[in-house]
Amino acid sequence: MSFFSQAFDGASEAALVTGAGNGIGRAIAQALVAEGVRTVFADIKAETVQAAIAASGAPGLCTAWVGDLAERSECDRLLREAGAALGTITHFVHSASPPRREADHAMAVSDETWLRMRAVNVDAGFHLGRELSRALIAAKRPGSLMYLTSLHAGTPRNLPHYSTSKAAMAMMVKEFAKTLGPYQIRVNALVPGAILAGGFVADPALSRHVPLGRLGQAQDLAPLALAVLSNRISGYVTGAAIVIDGGLSLTNWFDAPQLDL
Ligand SMILES: NC(=O)c1ccc[n+]([C@@H]2O[C@H](COP(=O)([O-])OP(=O)(O)OC[C@H]3O[C@@H](n4cnc5c(N)ncnc54)[C@H](O)[C@@H]3O)[C@@H](O)[C@H]2O)c1
């Protein structure tokens, strides 16, 4: 039997991806529908959601949802509308995150920016994950939740609202994984390095520090994200933080050795 030709069951499984209008969320949502999974594309920007669906190759499997996940009432509307459109959501990806601005260092970031980052990354991530899990437990269905965290859950980024929210998400994944494991709901973190997507303005010099020699693309993450989401491929993986960074996290102040080959 091939594991990879049937990673998902399109008839019974359905997905919700936040931040699906751009970058990593968009790549994962499009990859899910390419595997035949009915998927809600949720984002705050209507035009990018429509563009992501139009470019997905399977618009009939896509449901658009537009709203501000910083608002609890909007999160609840998303839960209601996703359930009405697709029934029980078995796979959840939380990729939405407000823009990061380099000017927002510890002595400059405003209360509003701090709260909004936490509201989308942590509060919405927790509320959506918990309520989707409640529905899965009630339906006696297995599930898979994935949170996009960051290498900056563990190292400073000069953006304290961002790094602290990612650190909170990293622990949220572990709390959920332990609590929900007995119900066969797996919860994992995907930890990107430097990925050229909307949320990250790259310094070209950074690629010098990536052992694989280049910055990442959103499409680099989608196959591994699907493998981890799939209960058939990764049915015994939960509470994991899977780094996908071209080796960036191996960087320290020593350069790689010059090999005399
Ligand atoms: N790009 C990277 O290098 C990188 C590195 C580490 C972690 N990450 C994480 O991966 C995830 C995706 O990153 P990306 O670079 O693709 O980001 P991105 O900015 O390209 O996409 C994020 C999406 O979230 C949406 N969004 C923002 N606020 C929202 C809100 N209030 N309600 C609904 N949608 C909202 C945006 O409109 C956007 O489409 C983020 O959680 C980010 O922190 C990215």
Side-chain angles (χ1 to χ4, degrees):
M1 173 195 138
S2 163
F3 292 115
F4 297 105
S5 62
Q6 292 181 317
F8 298 94
D9 176 7
S12 67
E13 295 182 323
L16 163 56
V17 181
T18 70
N22 202 58
I24 295 166
R26 172 183 158 123
I28 294 173
Q30 290 178 333
L32 280 164
V33 296
E35 296 297 324
V37 181
R38 295 163 296 129
T39 301
V40 177
F41 285 53
D43 204 288
I44 198 168
K45 293 184 187 154
E47 62 284 4
T48 60
V49 169
Q50 293 305 343
I53 288 175
S56 71
L61 295 178
C62 305
T63 299
W65 186 89
V66 178
D68 181 357
L69 295 175
E71 303 291 332
R72 172 59 61 90
S73 59
E74 287 292 88
C75 291
D76 286 333
R77 182 171 68 83
L78 172 57
L79 290 165
R80 278 197 310 277
E81 293 179 3
L86 300 185
T88 305
I89 302 293
T90 52
H91 294 72
F92 172 55
V93 178
H94 191 42
S95 187
S97 186
R100 315 189 264 297
R101 296 183 311 144
E102 298 302 328
D104 289 334
H105 59 73
M107 304 311 287
V109 64
S110 68
D111 288 354
E112 186 191 357
T113 300
W114 177 284
L115 291 171
R116 192 166 173 77
M117 188 64 80
R118 196 192 74 187
V120 178
N121 291 0
V122 185
D123 300 350
F126 183 68
H127 184 61
L128 293 171
R130 182 164 71 166
E131 296 311 312
L132 291 169
S133 297
R134 241 189 259 289
L136 284 166
I137 291 167
K140 295 189 168 46
R141 300 278 306 275
S144 178
L145 317 184
M146 172 176 287
Y147 289 84
L148 272 295
T149 62
S150 171
L151 297 176
H152 299 295
T155 57
R157 173 64 174 81
N158 299 336
L159 300 174
H161 53 312
Y162 181 71
S163 58
T164 57
S165 77
K166 292 295 172 179
M169 289 173 74
M171 184 50 77
M172 186 164 75
V173 164
K174 296 180 189 183
E175 289 280 358
F176 269 156
K178 192 168 180 184
T179 301
L180 300 172
Y183 301 95
Q184 305 306 311
I185 299 170
R186 300 181 301 105
V187 189
N188 293 291
L190 198 65
V191 189
I195 311 300
L196 291 167
F200 174 64
V201 180
D203 174 353
L206 188 55
S207 59
R208 198 172 67 80
H209 300 291
V210 180
L212 289 183
R214 64 177 175 86
L215 302 180
Q217 308 281 342
Q219 288 72 16
D220 289 323
L221 277 79
L224 184 62
L226 262 57
V228 176
L229 282 168
S230 163
N231 293 327
R232 289 179 175 165
I233 296 174
S234 300
Y236 201 54
V237 179
T238 197
I242 294 142
V243 175
I244 178 160
D245 71 346
L248 176 61
S249 51
L250 305 175
T251 294
N252 57 25
W253 53 92
F254 294 103
D255 285 335
Q258 294 294 322
L259 300 184
D260 190 17
L261 299 175

